Amino acid sequence: GDSVTQMEGPVTLSEEAFLTINCTYTATGYPSLFWYVQYPGEGLQLLLKATKADDKGSNKGFEATYRKETTSFHLEKGSVQVSDSAVYFCALPAGGTSYGKLTFGQGTILTVHP
Amino acid sequence: EPEVTQTPSHQVTQMGQEVILRCVPISNHLYFYWYRQILGQKVEFLVSFYNNEISEKSEIFDDQFSVERPDGSNFTLKIRSTKLEDSAMYFCASILDSRGSYEQYFGPGTRLTVT
């Protein structure tokens, strides 16, 4: 079945450090791919998305490129801030449909220190 | 910007009691979902709902769970007889408007604590 695997966390960085959170997937066809963020005490917010191979999603300085050949969608940010501290989830709609249930990775806790 | 709302934000209940979690999806969306997240674990799909019926459910969604869209705006999740292991954050989501956007919008969640 469709699945998402994220790098094990937690990740602890100093402010202005470079961030990579790895995400690989197994899926039927070529679904859209998403990164969601969950700030402390809040719900899930869509951070960025990519709808087809080689697309790059970007938002708030974060980027991720849909790599069909490596089945990956790694999240990157060049210079993290304390306010980026949150849990990050990679996700895809399962079953080959765009409106299918989302399958999430296990989440990566990011802590950024001043 | 339109948003999904959920009430209550926190619900405490005793084991064996019934709870109803409420959601108001984005008004022109067509698909509705419930997910849950046990503390420290990943977000898990419970059920999807389309055209006034369940379109898919997970193995977690047993006979103790039910969903309903009683009117044009609310979408509810009922747990008939709560267990300790039902303690989790429950998220509602909705998707698909007339423009064909497949982005799932999530509500802020209801934290359910079963004692």
Side-chain angles (χ1 to χ4, degrees):
Chain A
D2 297 352
S3 66
V4 177
T5 301
Q6 280 181 241
M7 65 184 289
E8 295 293 329
V11 175
T12 302
L13 296 172
S14 297
E15 208 164 24
E16 299 183 5
F18 183 84
L19 168 71
T20 299
I21 301 177
N22 290 339
C23 170
T24 57
Y25 66 90
T26 304
T28 306
Y30 303 104
S32 296
L33 299 173
F34 304 96
W35 276 100
Y36 280 85
V37 59
Q38 185 179 31
Y39 297 105
E42 298 186 15
L44 294 164
Q45 300 175 27
L46 180 66
L47 179 61
L48 55 83
K49 65 181 179 183
T51 56
K52 60 184 187 297
D54 300 325
D55 262 6
K56 179 185 284 188
S58 61
N59 186 26
K60 299 183 181 179
F62 290 89
E63 293 182 337
T65 301
Y66 190 157
R67 302 278 188 208
K68 185 177 65 174
E69 61 278 5
T70 54
T71 61
S72 65
F73 192 54
H74 304 322
L75 182 68
E76 296 182 336
K77 186 173 186 181
S79 176
V80 293
Q81 306 299 312
V82 172
S83 56
D84 294 326
S85 297
V87 184
Y88 292 82
F89 294 92
C90 187
L92 60 83
T97 63
S98 297
Y99 46 84
K101 63 185 180 186
L102 287 177
T103 294
F104 288 86
Q106 59 267 46
T108 301
I109 300 172
L110 171 65
T111 303
V112 181
H113 293 299
Chain B
E1 185 172 329
E3 59 181 14
V4 177
T5 59
Q6 289 185 243
T7 54
S9 56
H10 190 190
Q11 173 89 49
V12 181
T13 189
Q14 289 191 323
M15 198 166 50
Q17 295 296 303
E18 174 184 288
V19 294
I20 297 176
L21 310 183
R22 302 180 193 279
C23 168
V24 179
I26 293 173
S27 63
N28 57 351
H29 280 188
L30 302 175
Y31 288 83
F32 314 109
Y33 307 81
W34 283 101
Y35 295 83
R36 79 171 186 191
Q37 183 184 30
I38 295 172
L39 188 64
Q41 298 186 24
K42 67 166 131 183
V43 179
E44 303 173 289
F45 167 77
L46 291 178
V47 66
S48 58
F49 193 84
Y50 170 71
N51 201 26
N52 283 318
E53 61 183 22
I54 291 173
S55 50
E56 187 176 0
K57 58 184 181 180
S58 72
E59 61 275 9
I60 302 168
F61 195 88
D62 61 22
D63 291 344
Q64 294 299 313
F65 291 88
S66 62
V67 288
E68 195 177 36
R69 187 156 163 82
D71 51 42
S73 59
N74 290 284
F75 179 50
T76 61
L77 174 69
K78 182 193 290 185
I79 309 175
R80 237 178 299 280
S81 178
T82 50
K83 307 185 194 68
L84 293 175
E85 55 264 36
D86 293 327
S87 294
M89 183 75 94
Y90 289 80
F91 294 105
C92 173
S94 68
I95 194 174
L96 195 55
D97 59 21
S98 59
R99 296 170 298 171
S101 169
Y102 295 107
E103 179 180 322
Q104 284 198 24
Y105 288 81
F106 282 78
T110 293
R111 180 167 297 287
L112 176 65
T113 302
V114 182
T115 61

